[in-house]
Amino acid sequence: MQTFAIEALSWPKQGADLRRQVRDLVAEHVHPANPADLTNCWAVADPKFSRTLGQAGLLGMTWPKEYGGHERSPLERYIVLEELLAAGAPVGAHWIADRQTGTLLLRYGHEEERRRWVPGMARGEIYACIGLSEPNAGSDLAAVRTTARRDGDGWVLDGQKVWTTNAHNAHVMIALIRSEEGSERNAGLSQFIIPMDAPGLTVRPIYDLTGGHDFNEVFFDGVRLPATALLGVEGEGWKQATAELSLERSGPERYLSCLTLLTELIRAVGPSPSDSIRTLIGQLVSETWTLRLMSASVAAQIAQGQDPALEATIVKDLGNSFEQAMPALIQAAVETDLASDAALPIMLGHLLQVSPSFSLRGGTREILKGIIARGLGLR
Amino acid sequence: MNEQQHMLTEMVDGLFAGLGPSATIEKNWPQIEELGLTTLLLPEADGGFGGSWQDALIVFRLSGYHALSLPVPEAVIAARLASGCGLQGRGTIASRSDGRLEGGRFTGTVHGAVQSAGAAYIVAPATDGGSIVLSTEGAQRKPANNLAGEGRDVWAFDGASAFAVTEDVFELGAFARVAQIAGGLDAALGMSVSYANDRKQFGRPLAKFQAVQQSLATFAGEAAAANCAAMGLAQALDRGNADYEVAAAKLRANRAVGVGTSSAHQAHGAIGFTKEYDLHPITRRLWSARSEFGGDSHWATVLGGKVITAGAHRFWADLTALTD
C-alpha cells in the first residue's frame, strides 16, 4: 500500500530565471503600508498589481496564446505562484480567474464566452468568483437550490449564493445551479458563466470577524443569461464542479498563507535565539520543505493529465493544518505584545484571527478527511 | 519509476515479504547475498548494480514495510562507503563513535552498531565529520538491542586499523530510517484500514464510524508526508548534497511516527497490543527509528540553526535553490 503516489519530481530548467523575474517584480511593487497584508495574501486584492503581472506575462501562463495565454508549462506556473505567495504579494484580485475560471472556460466554455473573458483574465483585468455554497448548502453542496429555468434560447436564474469570495471585485462568476426542475442531490445540476453586472444580480458584503471584506452574498433575481452561458454539458455540473476541486485544492496557497510570518519570525529573533525557538524554526522549515514537495508533486501529476484527487485532498488537509497551527505555535514560543506596531505582532495577530478560516474555505477539514477515508478504502 | 525500478520493486517486495520480522542473519543472509543486494550502490564496473539513491529508497522502504529483521540498508550503505578499503564480508553501520583516529589506527568506542554480531566491518561517523571504516577483527562487542530486539551494539576498539572516508554515514543512516519509516507507516496504515473494515462493533464495521475515519485520514496524511520526505531526500542524495534535506526529512518522518503509531494502535484496539498480532513488529521498529540517527530535537536544531545563520532574506531563496 502506498497512499500517496509520488514520482521523482523534475523542476523546469529555467526555474531560476523565472524566480528572478518574479522576485524583481515583487521587490519593485510589493511594499504594503500594513504588514498584515503580507499574510494570507491571496485574499488581498490589488488590481494594479494584477495588471502588472498580466503585462509581465505571468497570468494565464498555461493557456493558449490564441486566448492571451503564454503556453508555459504547469510547473513554470507553479514556480510563479509559490514565489508570489512566499513574498506575500497581493494576488487576491485575479487569483480565482487565473487558477480555475479561465482554465474551466477554456475546457468547457462556449467559444463566444472564451473570447469575451479569457484574454482579459490573462491581462490581469478580469476577475472571477465561484458560486458554490448557499445558505442551506455548505459542506452539503449537493443541496444547492438556486435554479436556472429555460427561457427561449436562454436561461433565467433565481436564488442565492453565500460565502462567495471576491464577488465584490469579480467581473464574472462560474456557479453551480439546479437546471432541472424537481431534480435531487447531485443530478440535474449545471454550471453557468454569469457576468456580475447582469441585471437582477446583487452583491452584499459579509464582513469577517476582523472587519475584513473577503466574502459576500450574491442574489439572483430573474437574471437572464444567453444560451452560451451554459458551461459544458447540461446536467453534468456536479461532475465538472468536483473535477474543478482538484485544481482548487492542490495549489501552493494551501500551505503558504503563513510563510511570510515564518520569514518575519526568523528576522525578528535574529542570529542567536533560544534553543526552543531554534527547534521551532527547524520544525516549521521541515514542514514547509515537505509540503512544498507534496504540493509540487500533485501539480506535476495534474500537468501529466492525471487526476490525483486523493493526493490533492491530502495536501490541502496537511497544508491547512500546518498553516493554521503555525500562528499559535509562534505565539506560544515568543513573548509578544499584540498591541505593538512591530511587524511580527501585527502579522501574528492578523493570522491568529483569520486562520480559523483556513480549514473551512475550499472544503472543511471534516469533509476532506471523509474524502481521504473513502480514498483509503474505508467502506 | 523506470522499468528497472519496477523490476527491483517486484523482486525485493517478494523476497522481503517472505522473510519479514522473523528472518535471521544466520539462516537468511545468504538469500540477500545471492541476489547481490548489498552491492546495490556499487558501480557496475566493480560488479555492483550501479544503483542510485532513489533505487536504494525502494529497497530501504520495503525493508520497513515488511518489518524485515535483516540489516540490508546498513549493509548496502556500508558496502558503498567501504568500497575502496579492500574489506570482505558483511559490513554494517553505527550511529556514533568516541575516540582517537591516528595514523590509520582507531582507539575508542562505537555505539549503535546495527546487528553487528558477525559483521566484518563497521562504518561509523567520525567525531570531526566524515566517517571511519573499522575492521571488527580483535575488537570487543557488547550486545545491546533496540525496542524491536535488533542489535544496536557497542564496540571497543584498541588500535584497530581504520580508514577515513568523506561521506557522512550518519546522514545516510538517517536516510535509511526515513525510508523505513515511510514503508512502516504505509504498512501500519494498510493493516489499520483492513482491520477497520473487518471488525464490527455496534453492528457495523469500525470503518463506518466518523471518528475512526477521521483518525485514519490524519494517519494517511502523515504516511504521505513521510513518503514524500523520503523521495525528496533520495533525490537530494542523487544530486550530491543533502545536508539540508536530511535534516528536514528525518525530522518530518520522526514526527509522522508519533501520529501514525498511536493512530494504528488506537484503530486496532487491544488485539494490536498483543504479542501474537503482527502490528508490533512494525510499530516497535518505528519507535526505534524515530530516535536512531538523530531524533526530532537533533535535526530541528541542525535545520533551525542553518536557517537562522543564513538569515531571513535567504530562507525562501535557499529552500528553492535546493531544487533549481
Side-chain angles (χ1 to χ4, degrees):
Chain A
M1 171 167 199
Q2 186 153 6
T3 319
F4 194 99
I6 177 162
E7 289 283 326
L9 193 62
S10 37
W11 291 80
K13 290 210 163 36
Q14 51 291 54
D17 292 339
L18 201 49
R19 284 186 203 287
R20 206 165 306 117
Q21 186 193 354
V22 181
R23 285 174 193 173
D24 288 349
L25 208 121
V26 164
E28 191 183 337
H29 295 279
V30 181
H31 304 283
N34 181 356
D37 284 346
L38 291 168
T39 65
N40 194 25
C41 68
W42 58 289
V44 178
D46 179 349
K48 189 164 159 272
F49 185 68
S50 294
R51 287 194 296 272
T52 304
L53 288 177
Q55 279 155 18
L58 298 175
L59 296 181
M61 285 180 71
T62 60
W63 302 343
K65 288 185 176 160
E66 196 190 340
Y67 297 94
H70 305 284
E71 302 183 2
R72 309 284 293 256
S73 74
L75 277 176
E76 287 178 294
R77 174 169 176 269
Y78 186 92
I79 286 174
V80 171
L81 297 186
E82 65 171 6
E83 284 299 321
L84 290 168
L85 294 165
V91 292
H94 67 264
W95 192 260
I96 291 169
D98 179 63
R99 179 180 70 191
Q100 66 198 90
T101 314
T103 304
L104 225 67
L105 268 170
L106 288 168
R107 190 182 301 164
Y108 297 120
H110 188 279
E111 180 61 11
E112 253 177 57
E113 303 285 348
R114 293 184 195 172
R115 299 268 168 213
R116 179 173 175 194
W117 302 110
V118 178
M121 290 175 174
R123 287 194 306 270
E125 292 168 2
I126 298 286
Y127 313 131
C129 60
I130 309 162
L132 291 177
S133 294
E134 295 183 7
N136 290 309
S139 284
D140 183 11
L141 187 58
V144 296
R145 286 195 313 202
T146 297
T147 56
R149 155 172 74 72
R150 279 203 179 274
D151 178 55
D153 278 353
W155 301 85
V156 178
L157 306 191
D158 284 286
Q160 179 193 351
K161 294 290 175 184
V162 73
W163 315 124
T164 314
T165 297
N166 208 38
H168 55 305
N169 298 310
H171 303 89
V172 66
M173 168 193 279
I174 287 181
L176 183 66
I177 311 251
R178 194 159 296 285
S179 57
E180 185 190 326
E181 207 184 333
S183 63
E184 296 275 347
R185 304 298 299 162
N186 52 17
L189 299 171
S190 300
Q191 284 186 301
F192 289 89
I193 177 110
I194 307 161
M196 295 300 284
D197 61 0
L201 187 156
T202 47
V203 176
R204 270 195 225 144
I206 303 174
Y207 297 101
D208 67 31
L209 54 80
T210 70
H213 181 194
D214 186 22
F215 39 60
N216 303 272
E217 294 178 288
V218 180
F219 297 90
F220 309 99
D221 185 9
V223 173
R224 307 185 88 79
L225 297 176
T228 56
L230 176 72
L231 199 67
V233 181
E234 186 179 343
E236 295 282 304
W238 181 261
K239 215 172 94 192
Q240 290 173 205
T242 46
E244 182 184 351
L245 287 175
S246 281
L247 290 180
E248 183 175 341
R249 286 180 177 155
S250 64
E253 70 270 31
R254 299 301 180 181
Y255 82 100
L256 282 176
S257 290
C258 294
L259 194 84
T260 50
L261 178 68
L262 176 53
T263 308
E264 181 56 27
L265 173 71
I266 297 164
R267 200 197 60 72
V269 300
S272 39
S274 67
D275 287 350
S276 65
I277 290 177
R278 187 183 306 269
T279 53
L280 174 63
I281 289 173
Q283 178 195 321
L284 296 173
V285 171
S286 150
E287 199 75 39
T288 305
W289 174 82
T290 308
L291 280 162
R292 178 167 182 261
L293 287 178
M294 301 181 83
S295 165
S297 155
V298 171
Q301 291 175 47
I302 291 175
Q304 287 162 14
Q306 301 159 27
D307 181 17
L310 176 63
E311 284 82 358
T313 311
I314 288 176
V315 172
K316 179 180 185 294
D317 183 44
L318 271 184
N320 286 164
S321 299
F322 164 66
E323 60 178 5
Q324 198 165 57
M326 190 198 293
L329 287 169
I330 291 176
Q331 182 181 32
V334 185
E335 282 307 304
T336 309
D337 174 5
L338 289 173
S340 130
D341 61 359
L344 185 66
I346 288 177
M347 294 164 79
L348 177 59
H350 184 65
L351 283 171
L352 284 170
Q353 296 175 81
V354 300
S355 57
S357 73
F358 296 173
S359 54
L360 303 174
R361 59 188 184 188
T364 65
R365 171 174 297 135
E366 290 73 12
I367 290 290
L368 296 182
K369 289 211 195 290
I371 293 171
I372 296 167
R374 273 203 304 283
L376 289 176
L378 287 165
R379 305 182 290 265
Chain B
M1 269 197 207
N2 59 37
E3 201 181 321
Q4 258 182 325
Q5 289 175 325
H6 278 293
M7 281 166 56
L8 181 66
T9 305
E10 210 166 289
M11 177 179 89
V12 173
D13 194 30
L15 176 66
F16 289 180
L19 292 170
S22 54
T24 62
I25 292 175
E26 297 71 37
K27 209 167 69 208
N28 303 108
W29 194 254
Q31 287 170 265
I32 303 296
E33 294 281 5
E34 230 166 79
L35 279 182
L37 214 47
T38 56
T39 67
L40 181 68
L41 296 175
L42 298 182
E44 285 178 61
D46 300 346
F49 269 94
S52 66
W53 289 105
Q54 287 174 63
D55 297 332
L57 170 60
I58 292 170
V59 176
F60 296 3
R61 181 183 170 280
L62 285 168
S63 77
Y65 189 92
H66 295 295
L68 180 71
S69 59
L70 300 176
V72 172
E74 291 81 2
V76 168
I77 293 169
R80 157 87 167 227
L81 267 52
S83 62
C85 304
L87 292 157
Q88 301 297 319
R90 177 173 71 88
T92 189
I93 65 176
S95 52
R96 186 160 65 86
S97 73
D98 275 324
R100 279 177 300 115
L101 178 63
E102 265 173 358
R105 299 274 160 189
F106 178 78
T107 299
T109 54
V110 159
H111 301 258
V114 176
Q115 294 167 283
S116 62
Y121 62 96
I122 298 170
V123 187
T127 42
D128 53 353
S131 308
I132 43 175
V133 182
L134 298 158
S135 160
T136 56
E137 213 180 308
Q140 295 301 311
R141 183 177 74 94
K142 186 178 149 228
N145 285 340
N146 73 0
L147 302 179
E150 295 175 332
R152 298 293 186 266
D153 309 320
V154 181
W155 285 79
F157 293 88
D158 187 7
S161 77
F163 307 84
V165 294
T166 52
E167 286 149 300
D168 183 351
V169 72
F170 192 77
E171 273 192 5
L172 298 173
F175 168 61
R177 292 299 174 266
V178 172
Q180 290 174 315
I181 288 170
L185 286 174
D186 271 347
L189 176 64
M191 289 177 74
S192 303
V193 168
S194 301
Y195 186 81
N197 280 330
D198 293 343
R199 169 80 174 161
K200 287 197 178 89
Q201 286 288 276
F202 303 101
R204 52 189 174 143
L206 296 185
K208 293 282 181 207
F209 292 89
Q210 283 199 352
V212 175
Q213 292 179 4
Q214 304 260 320
S215 165
L216 292 180
T218 302
F219 182 179
E222 294 298 302
N227 276 276
C228 289
M231 174 58 88
L233 175 51
Q235 281 195 285
L237 286 167
D238 281 330
R239 285 191 296 265
N241 182 347
D243 290 352
Y244 188 112
E245 289 91 340
V246 71
K250 183 63 165 59
L251 178 54
R252 187 61 189 84
N254 280 355
R255 292 165 59 80
V257 167
V259 180
T261 50
S262 66
S263 177
H265 277 288
Q266 191 65 27
H268 277 87
I271 192 74
F273 188 62
T274 59
K275 190 170 174 58
E276 65 160 314
Y277 197 84
D278 281 342
L279 185 58
H280 70 82
I282 297 170
T283 52
R284 291 161 85 200
R285 278 177 175 76
L286 287 169
W287 289 319
S288 299
R290 185 174 188 171
S291 286
E292 292 174 0
F293 297 99
D296 301 29
S297 156
H298 172 81
W299 288 118
T301 305
V302 168
L303 186 58
K306 260 183 207 302
V307 169
I308 288 162
T309 305
H313 68 290
R314 291 297 317 163
F315 162 46
W316 179 253
D318 287 350
L319 179 64
T320 53
L322 297 171
T323 49
D324 277 341

